[in-house]
mmCIF file of all heavy atoms in Angstrom:
data_model
loop_
_atom_site.group_PDB
_atom_site.id
_atom_site.type_symbol
_atom_site.label_atom_id
_atom_site.label_comp_id
_atom_site.label_asym_id
_atom_site.label_seq_id
_atom_site.Cartn_x
_atom_site.Cartn_y
_atom_site.Cartn_z
ATOM 1 N N TYR A 16 13.623 22.588 23.309
ATOM 2 C CA TYR A 16 14.266 21.329 23.687
ATOM 3 C C TYR A 16 15.710 21.439 23.224
ATOM 4 O O TYR A 16 15.958 21.746 22.058
ATOM 5 C CB TYR A 16 13.499 20.208 22.973
ATOM 6 C CG TYR A 16 14.276 19.009 22.513
ATOM 7 C CD1 TYR A 16 14.961 18.201 23.421
ATOM 8 C CD2 TYR A 16 14.293 18.655 21.164
ATOM 9 C CE1 TYR A 16 15.656 17.081 22.986
ATOM 10 C CE2 TYR A 16 14.975 17.530 20.718
ATOM 11 C CZ TYR A 16 15.658 16.751 21.632
ATOM 12 O OH TYR A 16 16.329 15.658 21.202
ATOM 13 N N GLY A 18 18.823 19.033 24.351
ATOM 14 C CA GLY A 18 19.581 18.086 25.163
ATOM 15 C C GLY A 18 18.774 16.849 25.515
ATOM 16 O O GLY A 18 17.663 16.947 26.020
ATOM 17 N N LYS A 19 19.370 15.689 25.195
ATOM 18 C CA LYS A 19 18.701 14.421 25.552
ATOM 19 C C LYS A 19 19.212 13.927 26.897
ATOM 20 O O LYS A 19 20.414 13.957 27.150
ATOM 21 C CB LYS A 19 19.017 13.354 24.498
ATOM 22 C CG LYS A 19 18.331 13.582 23.182
ATOM 23 C CD LYS A 19 18.668 12.461 22.210
ATOM 24 C CE LYS A 19 18.094 12.742 20.842
ATOM 25 N NZ LYS A 19 18.745 13.855 20.121
ATOM 26 N N LYS A 20 18.260 13.423 27.706
ATOM 27 C CA LYS A 20 18.623 12.856 29.001
ATOM 28 C C LYS A 20 19.061 11.414 28.788
ATOM 29 O O LYS A 20 20.007 10.934 29.392
ATOM 30 C CB LYS A 20 17.404 12.903 29.920
ATOM 31 C CG LYS A 20 17.715 12.675 31.358
ATOM 32 C CD LYS A 20 16.504 13.024 32.206
ATOM 33 C CE LYS A 20 16.849 13.030 33.667
ATOM 34 N NZ LYS A 20 15.704 13.408 34.480
ATOM 35 N N ASP A 21 18.321 10.716 27.916
ATOM 36 C CA ASP A 21 18.639 9.316 27.615
ATOM 37 C C ASP A 21 18.813 9.180 26.106
ATOM 38 O O ASP A 21 17.854 9.325 25.344
ATOM 39 C CB ASP A 21 17.494 8.433 28.116
ATOM 40 C CG ASP A 21 17.836 6.948 28.004
ATOM 41 O OD1 ASP A 21 18.406 6.548 26.968
ATOM 42 O OD2 ASP A 21 17.525 6.198 28.951
ATOM 43 N N LEU A 24 16.658 6.185 24.549
ATOM 44 C CA LEU A 24 15.195 6.410 24.520
ATOM 45 C C LEU A 24 14.830 7.723 23.834
ATOM 46 O O LEU A 24 13.681 7.954 23.516
ATOM 47 C CB LEU A 24 14.635 6.416 25.939
ATOM 48 C CG LEU A 24 14.739 5.130 26.735
ATOM 49 C CD1 LEU A 24 14.135 5.332 28.128
ATOM 50 C CD2 LEU A 24 13.996 4.002 26.012
ATOM 51 N N LYS A 25 15.843 8.580 23.667
ATOM 52 C CA LYS A 25 15.627 9.914 23.060
ATOM 53 C C LYS A 25 14.629 10.740 23.882
ATOM 54 O O LYS A 25 13.746 11.401 23.331
ATOM 55 C CB LYS A 25 15.150 9.783 21.600
ATOM 56 C CG LYS A 25 15.943 8.785 20.760
ATOM 57 C CD LYS A 25 17.062 9.478 20.016
ATOM 58 C CE LYS A 25 18.049 8.551 19.366
ATOM 59 N NZ LYS A 25 17.607 7.806 18.249
ATOM 60 N N THR A 26 14.773 10.668 25.184
ATOM 61 C CA THR A 26 13.944 11.502 26.053
ATOM 62 C C THR A 26 14.718 12.783 26.384
ATOM 63 O O THR A 26 15.936 12.753 26.528
ATOM 64 C CB THR A 26 13.582 10.757 27.352
ATOM 65 O OG1 THR A 26 14.796 10.207 27.894
ATOM 66 C CG2 THR A 26 12.608 9.634 27.091
ATOM 67 N N PRO A 27 14.006 13.916 26.503
ATOM 68 C CA PRO A 27 14.696 15.205 26.708
ATOM 69 C C PRO A 27 14.911 15.535 28.187
ATOM 70 O O PRO A 27 14.236 14.969 29.050
ATOM 71 C CB PRO A 27 13.697 16.192 26.102
ATOM 72 C CG PRO A 27 12.371 15.591 26.397
ATOM 73 C CD PRO A 27 12.551 14.086 26.359
ATOM 74 N N TRP A 28 15.808 16.449 28.458
ATOM 75 C CA TRP A 28 16.015 16.901 29.835
ATOM 76 C C TRP A 28 14.821 17.704 30.340
ATOM 77 O O TRP A 28 14.526 17.689 31.523
ATOM 78 C CB TRP A 28 17.287 17.760 29.927
ATOM 79 C CG TRP A 28 18.505 16.924 30.131
ATOM 80 C CD1 TRP A 28 19.356 16.473 29.169
ATOM 81 C CD2 TRP A 28 19.005 16.421 31.378
ATOM 82 N NE1 TRP A 28 20.353 15.721 29.738
ATOM 83 C CE2 TRP A 28 20.167 15.681 31.097
ATOM 84 C CE3 TRP A 28 18.600 16.540 32.711
ATOM 85 C CZ2 TRP A 28 20.915 15.045 32.081
ATOM 86 C CZ3 TRP A 28 19.344 15.914 33.705
ATOM 87 C CH2 TRP A 28 20.485 15.174 33.387
ATOM 88 N N ASN A 29 14.176 18.433 29.434
ATOM 89 C CA ASN A 29 13.050 19.266 29.886
ATOM 90 C C ASN A 29 11.870 19.185 28.926
ATOM 91 O O ASN A 29 12.039 18.942 27.734
ATOM 92 C CB ASN A 29 13.496 20.732 30.040
ATOM 93 C CG ASN A 29 14.007 21.323 28.742
ATOM 94 O OD1 ASN A 29 15.199 21.197 28.423
ATOM 95 N ND2 ASN A 29 13.138 21.942 27.973
ATOM 96 N N SER A 30 10.677 19.413 29.481
ATOM 97 C CA SER A 30 9.477 19.508 28.648
ATOM 98 C C SER A 30 9.604 20.760 27.785
ATOM 99 O O SER A 30 10.345 21.689 28.141
ATOM 100 C CB SER A 30 8.241 19.626 29.527
ATOM 101 O OG SER A 30 8.199 18.547 30.438
ATOM 102 N N ASN A 31 8.893 20.782 26.664
ATOM 103 C CA ASN A 31 8.993 21.921 25.748
ATOM 104 C C ASN A 31 7.679 22.107 25.020
ATOM 105 O O ASN A 31 6.882 21.176 24.925
ATOM 106 C CB ASN A 31 10.173 21.715 24.792
ATOM 107 C CG ASN A 31 10.239 20.309 24.238
ATOM 108 O OD1 ASN A 31 9.644 20.016 23.211
ATOM 109 N ND2 ASN A 31 10.904 19.389 24.950
ATOM 110 N N THR A 128 -2.595 8.731 18.596
ATOM 111 C CA THR A 128 -1.740 9.913 18.410
ATOM 112 C C THR A 128 -0.599 9.893 19.431
ATOM 113 O O THR A 128 0.550 10.174 19.092
ATOM 114 C CB THR A 128 -2.574 11.210 18.569
ATOM 115 O OG1 THR A 128 -3.623 11.155 17.611
ATOM 116 C CG2 THR A 128 -1.749 12.449 18.350
ATOM 117 N N LYS A 129 -0.921 9.506 20.671
ATOM 118 C CA LYS A 129 0.118 9.471 21.707
ATOM 119 C C LYS A 129 1.254 8.511 21.288
ATOM 120 O O LYS A 129 2.437 8.846 21.373
ATOM 121 C CB LYS A 129 -0.498 9.027 23.031
ATOM 122 C CG LYS A 129 0.496 8.928 24.156
ATOM 123 C CD LYS A 129 -0.170 8.532 25.457
ATOM 124 C CE LYS A 129 0.882 8.193 26.494
ATOM 125 N NZ LYS A 129 0.310 7.811 27.778
ATOM 126 N N GLU A 130 0.865 7.313 20.812
ATOM 127 C CA GLU A 130 1.886 6.335 20.394
ATOM 128 C C GLU A 130 2.695 6.851 19.199
ATOM 129 O O GLU A 130 3.907 6.625 19.111
ATOM 130 C CB GLU A 130 1.212 5.002 20.027
ATOM 131 C CG GLU A 130 0.677 4.257 21.238
ATOM 132 C CD GLU A 130 -0.230 3.092 20.845
ATOM 133 O OE1 GLU A 130 -1.084 3.249 19.930
ATOM 134 O OE2 GLU A 130 -0.095 2.032 21.457
ATOM 135 N N LEU A 131 2.004 7.553 18.288
ATOM 136 C CA LEU A 131 2.719 8.110 17.126
ATOM 137 C C LEU A 131 3.738 9.157 17.556
ATOM 138 O O LEU A 131 4.838 9.234 17.003
ATOM 139 C CB LEU A 131 1.725 8.733 16.145
ATOM 140 C CG LEU A 131 0.955 7.767 15.255
ATOM 141 C CD1 LEU A 131 -0.219 8.472 14.585
ATOM 142 C CD2 LEU A 131 1.855 7.130 14.193
ATOM 143 N N THR A 132 3.378 9.964 18.585
ATOM 144 C CA THR A 132 4.329 11.001 19.021
ATOM 145 C C THR A 132 5.567 10.346 19.653
ATOM 146 O O THR A 132 6.676 10.842 19.508
ATOM 147 C CB THR A 132 3.706 12.025 20.009
ATOM 148 O OG1 THR A 132 3.461 11.411 21.277
ATOM 149 C CG2 THR A 132 2.444 12.649 19.478
ATOM 150 N N ILE A 133 5.361 9.220 20.328
ATOM 151 C CA ILE A 133 6.487 8.504 20.949
ATOM 152 C C ILE A 133 7.412 7.952 19.856
ATOM 153 O O ILE A 133 8.635 8.051 19.937
ATOM 154 C CB ILE A 133 5.966 7.382 21.882
ATOM 155 C CG1 ILE A 133 5.278 8.023 23.101
ATOM 156 C CG2 ILE A 133 7.086 6.427 22.308
ATOM 157 C CD1 ILE A 133 4.558 7.059 24.021
ATOM 158 N N LEU A 134 6.797 7.425 18.815
ATOM 159 C CA LEU A 134 7.569 6.870 17.693
ATOM 160 C C LEU A 134 8.324 7.975 16.935
ATOM 161 O O LEU A 134 9.503 7.828 16.599
ATOM 162 C CB LEU A 134 6.598 6.167 16.741
ATOM 163 C CG LEU A 134 7.096 4.912 16.074
ATOM 164 C CD1 LEU A 134 7.406 3.868 17.114
ATOM 165 C CD2 LEU A 134 6.017 4.389 15.116
ATOM 166 N N ALA A 135 7.629 9.097 16.707
ATOM 167 C CA ALA A 135 8.251 10.219 15.982
ATOM 168 C C ALA A 135 9.427 10.769 16.782
ATOM 169 O O ALA A 135 10.447 11.168 16.212
ATOM 170 C CB ALA A 135 7.226 11.325 15.735
ATOM 171 N N ARG A 136 9.289 10.776 18.115
ATOM 172 C CA ARG A 136 10.358 11.251 19.000
ATOM 173 C C ARG A 136 11.664 10.504 18.757
ATOM 174 O O ARG A 136 12.749 11.071 18.860
ATOM 175 C CB ARG A 136 9.902 11.040 20.450
ATOM 176 C CG ARG A 136 10.874 11.517 21.493
ATOM 177 C CD ARG A 136 10.553 10.932 22.859
ATOM 178 N NE ARG A 136 11.092 9.606 23.041
ATOM 179 C CZ ARG A 136 10.470 8.605 23.638
ATOM 180 N NH1 ARG A 136 9.264 8.762 24.144
ATOM 181 N NH2 ARG A 136 11.049 7.417 23.753
ATOM 182 N N MET A 137 11.566 9.213 18.426
ATOM 183 C CA MET A 137 12.771 8.418 18.198
ATOM 184 C C MET A 137 13.556 8.960 16.989
ATOM 185 O O MET A 137 14.775 8.879 16.951
ATOM 186 C CB MET A 137 12.426 6.940 17.961
ATOM 187 C CG MET A 137 11.683 6.261 19.100
ATOM 188 S SD MET A 137 12.486 6.412 20.709
ATOM 189 C CE MET A 137 13.877 5.308 20.503
ATOM 190 N N SER A 139 13.176 12.301 15.576
ATOM 191 C CA SER A 139 13.557 13.684 15.841
ATOM 192 C C SER A 139 12.635 14.169 16.952
ATOM 193 O O SER A 139 11.405 14.074 16.816
ATOM 194 C CB SER A 139 13.356 14.513 14.568
ATOM 195 O OG SER A 139 13.213 15.870 14.889
ATOM 196 N N GLY A 140 13.238 14.657 18.027
ATOM 197 C CA GLY A 140 12.428 15.047 19.184
ATOM 198 C C GLY A 140 11.313 16.008 18.809
ATOM 199 O O GLY A 140 10.141 15.806 19.152
ATOM 200 N N ALA A 142 9.811 16.410 16.159
ATOM 201 C CA ALA A 142 8.775 15.818 15.289
ATOM 202 C C ALA A 142 7.566 15.363 16.101
ATOM 203 O O ALA A 142 6.440 15.355 15.596
ATOM 204 C CB ALA A 142 9.355 14.638 14.508
ATOM 205 N N SER A 143 7.800 14.993 17.362
ATOM 206 C CA SER A 143 6.674 14.538 18.184
ATOM 207 C C SER A 143 5.614 15.634 18.275
ATOM 208 O O SER A 143 4.424 15.369 18.261
ATOM 209 C CB SER A 143 7.158 14.132 19.581
ATOM 210 O OG SER A 143 7.698 15.251 20.243
ATOM 211 N N ARG A 144 6.064 16.899 18.314
ATOM 212 C CA ARG A 144 5.114 18.016 18.458
ATOM 213 C C ARG A 144 4.363 18.304 17.169
ATOM 214 O O ARG A 144 3.272 18.859 17.195
ATOM 215 C CB ARG A 144 5.860 19.269 18.932
ATOM 216 C CG ARG A 144 6.559 19.104 20.290
ATOM 217 C CD ARG A 144 7.208 20.426 20.728
ATOM 218 N NE ARG A 144 7.983 21.012 19.650
ATOM 219 C CZ ARG A 144 9.272 21.348 19.734
ATOM 220 N NH1 ARG A 144 9.946 21.174 20.845
ATOM 221 N NH2 ARG A 144 9.884 21.883 18.700
ATOM 222 N N ILE A 152 2.597 20.401 23.764
ATOM 223 C CA ILE A 152 3.671 20.230 24.751
ATOM 224 C C ILE A 152 4.228 18.821 24.596
ATOM 225 O O ILE A 152 3.471 17.863 24.411
ATOM 226 C CB ILE A 152 3.192 20.489 26.210
ATOM 227 C CG1 ILE A 152 4.342 20.167 27.198
ATOM 228 C CG2 ILE A 152 1.938 19.680 26.573
ATOM 229 C CD1 ILE A 152 4.147 20.755 28.593
ATOM 230 N N TRP A 153 5.552 18.711 24.607
ATOM 231 C CA TRP A 153 6.208 17.393 24.653
ATOM 232 C C TRP A 153 6.665 17.231 26.109
ATOM 233 O O TRP A 153 7.541 17.957 26.579
ATOM 234 C CB TRP A 153 7.364 17.359 23.666
ATOM 235 C CG TRP A 153 8.286 16.180 23.801
ATOM 236 C CD1 TRP A 153 8.045 14.991 24.428
ATOM 237 C CD2 TRP A 153 9.624 16.087 23.283
ATOM 238 N NE1 TRP A 153 9.137 14.173 24.336
ATOM 239 C CE2 TRP A 153 10.113 14.812 23.645
ATOM 240 C CE3 TRP A 153 10.445 16.951 22.552
ATOM 241 C CZ2 TRP A 153 11.401 14.391 23.301
ATOM 242 C CZ3 TRP A 153 11.721 16.542 22.204
ATOM 243 C CH2 TRP A 153 12.182 15.257 22.571
ATOM 244 N N HIS A 154 6.012 16.327 26.815
ATOM 245 C CA HIS A 154 6.318 16.085 28.228
ATOM 246 C C HIS A 154 7.647 15.342 28.306
ATOM 247 O O HIS A 154 7.801 14.302 27.659
ATOM 248 C CB HIS A 154 5.226 15.226 28.871
ATOM 249 C CG HIS A 154 3.840 15.743 28.600
ATOM 250 N ND1 HIS A 154 3.223 16.653 29.419
ATOM 251 C CD2 HIS A 154 2.965 15.489 27.589
ATOM 252 C CE1 HIS A 154 2.026 16.942 28.935
ATOM 253 N NE2 HIS A 154 1.836 16.245 27.822
ATOM 254 N N ALA A 155 8.562 15.857 29.135
ATOM 255 C CA ALA A 155 9.882 15.211 29.227
ATOM 256 C C ALA A 155 9.717 13.750 29.658
ATOM 257 O O ALA A 155 10.213 12.845 28.984
ATOM 258 C CB ALA A 155 10.769 15.968 30.201
ATOM 259 N N GLY A 156 9.002 13.513 30.755
ATOM 260 C CA GLY A 156 8.786 12.145 31.249
ATOM 261 C C GLY A 156 10.067 11.473 31.712
ATOM 262 O O GLY A 156 11.174 11.948 31.421
ATOM 263 N N GLU A 157 9.904 10.376 32.431
ATOM 264 C CA GLU A 157 11.073 9.606 32.890
ATOM 265 C C GLU A 157 11.239 8.361 32.030
ATOM 266 O O GLU A 157 12.342 7.972 31.682
ATOM 267 C CB GLU A 157 10.908 9.199 34.362
ATOM 268 C CG GLU A 157 11.077 10.342 35.361
ATOM 269 C CD GLU A 157 12.465 10.991 35.337
ATOM 270 O OE1 GLU A 157 13.455 10.288 35.045
ATOM 271 O OE2 GLU A 157 12.550 12.206 35.609
ATOM 272 N N THR A 158 10.114 7.741 31.667
ATOM 273 C CA THR A 158 10.167 6.526 30.853
ATOM 274 C C THR A 158 9.790 6.872 29.413
ATOM 275 O O THR A 158 9.298 7.970 29.144
ATOM 276 C CB THR A 158 9.136 5.501 31.364
ATOM 277 O OG1 THR A 158 7.835 6.087 31.191
ATOM 278 C CG2 THR A 158 9.356 5.157 32.831
ATOM 279 N N SER A 159 9.962 5.911 28.503
ATOM 280 C CA SER A 159 9.613 6.150 27.107
ATOM 281 C C SER A 159 8.123 6.477 26.963
ATOM 282 O O SER A 159 7.746 7.407 26.248
ATOM 283 C CB SER A 159 9.966 4.924 26.268
ATOM 284 O OG SER A 159 9.701 5.192 24.919
ATOM 285 N N GLU A 160 7.279 5.732 27.678
ATOM 286 C CA GLU A 160 5.815 5.937 27.569
ATOM 287 C C GLU A 160 5.382 7.309 28.096
ATOM 288 O O GLU A 160 4.363 7.841 27.688
ATOM 289 C CB GLU A 160 5.041 4.854 28.357
ATOM 290 C CG GLU A 160 4.964 3.507 27.663
ATOM 291 C CD GLU A 160 6.332 2.840 27.561
ATOM 292 O OE1 GLU A 160 7.123 2.967 28.524
ATOM 293 O OE2 GLU A 160 6.627 2.244 26.508
ATOM 294 N N GLU A 161 6.172 7.841 29.045
ATOM 295 C CA GLU A 161 5.798 9.142 29.623
ATOM 296 C C GLU A 161 6.280 10.314 28.776
ATOM 297 O O GLU A 161 5.900 11.448 29.016
ATOM 298 C CB GLU A 161 6.446 9.297 31.009
ATOM 299 C CG GLU A 161 5.773 8.512 32.100
ATOM 300 C CD GLU A 161 6.636 8.494 33.364
ATOM 301 O OE1 GLU A 161 7.683 9.179 33.433
ATOM 302 O OE2 GLU A 161 6.261 7.762 34.289
ATOM 303 N N SER A 162 7.149 10.035 27.797
ATOM 304 C CA SER A 162 7.740 11.112 27.012
ATOM 305 C C SER A 162 7.017 11.236 25.672
ATOM 306 O O SER A 162 7.460 10.713 24.656
ATOM 307 C CB SER A 162 9.235 10.825 26.814
ATOM 308 O OG SER A 162 9.855 11.940 26.256
ATOM 309 N N PHE A 163 5.877 11.918 25.702
ATOM 310 C CA PHE A 163 5.039 12.036 24.508
ATOM 311 C C PHE A 163 4.539 13.471 24.363
ATOM 312 O O PHE A 163 4.668 14.272 25.294
ATOM 313 C CB PHE A 163 3.848 11.069 24.619
ATOM 314 C CG PHE A 163 2.911 11.393 25.761
ATOM 315 C CD1 PHE A 163 1.794 12.189 25.563
ATOM 316 C CD2 PHE A 163 3.168 10.926 27.051
ATOM 317 C CE1 PHE A 163 0.949 12.508 26.620
ATOM 318 C CE2 PHE A 163 2.320 11.252 28.115
ATOM 319 C CZ PHE A 163 1.215 12.043 27.900
ATOM 320 N N ALA A 164 3.977 13.763 23.198
ATOM 321 C CA ALA A 164 3.433 15.111 22.979
ATOM 322 C C ALA A 164 1.921 15.087 23.078
ATOM 323 O O ALA A 164 1.284 14.091 22.728
ATOM 324 C CB ALA A 164 3.868 15.627 21.618
ATOM 325 N N SER A 165 1.357 16.193 23.569
ATOM 326 C CA SER A 165 -0.098 16.292 23.629
ATOM 327 C C SER A 165 -0.512 17.736 23.353
ATOM 328 O O SER A 165 0.333 18.639 23.332
ATOM 329 C CB SER A 165 -0.617 15.819 24.982
ATOM 330 O OG SER A 165 -0.186 16.709 25.993
ATOM 331 N N GLU A 214 12.368 23.853 31.900
ATOM 332 C CA GLU A 214 11.255 23.038 32.419
ATOM 333 C C GLU A 214 10.194 23.960 33.032
ATOM 334 O O GLU A 214 9.000 23.817 32.751
ATOM 335 C CB GLU A 214 11.782 22.033 33.461
ATOM 336 C CG GLU A 214 10.719 21.130 34.070
ATOM 337 C CD GLU A 214 10.066 20.176 33.057
ATOM 338 O OE1 GLU A 214 10.753 19.676 32.157
ATOM 339 O OE2 GLU A 214 8.840 19.950 33.191
#
Side-chain angles (χ1 to χ4, degrees):
Y16 146 61
K19 288 182 185 70
K20 194 168 190 178
D21 188 318
L24 296 180
K25 314 267 169 70
T26 49
W28 274 95
N29 60 273
S30 305
N31 44 89
T128 302
K129 179 178 170 180
E130 289 168 317
L131 282 166
T132 71
I133 291 172
L134 216 62
R136 182 196 83 220
M137 301 307 288
S139 158
S143 63
R144 300 183 312 235
I152 175 163
W153 168 19
H154 310 271
E157 287 298 329
T158 63
S159 183
E160 283 67 38
E161 284 168 6
S162 189
F163 64 93
S165 67
E214 180 65 37

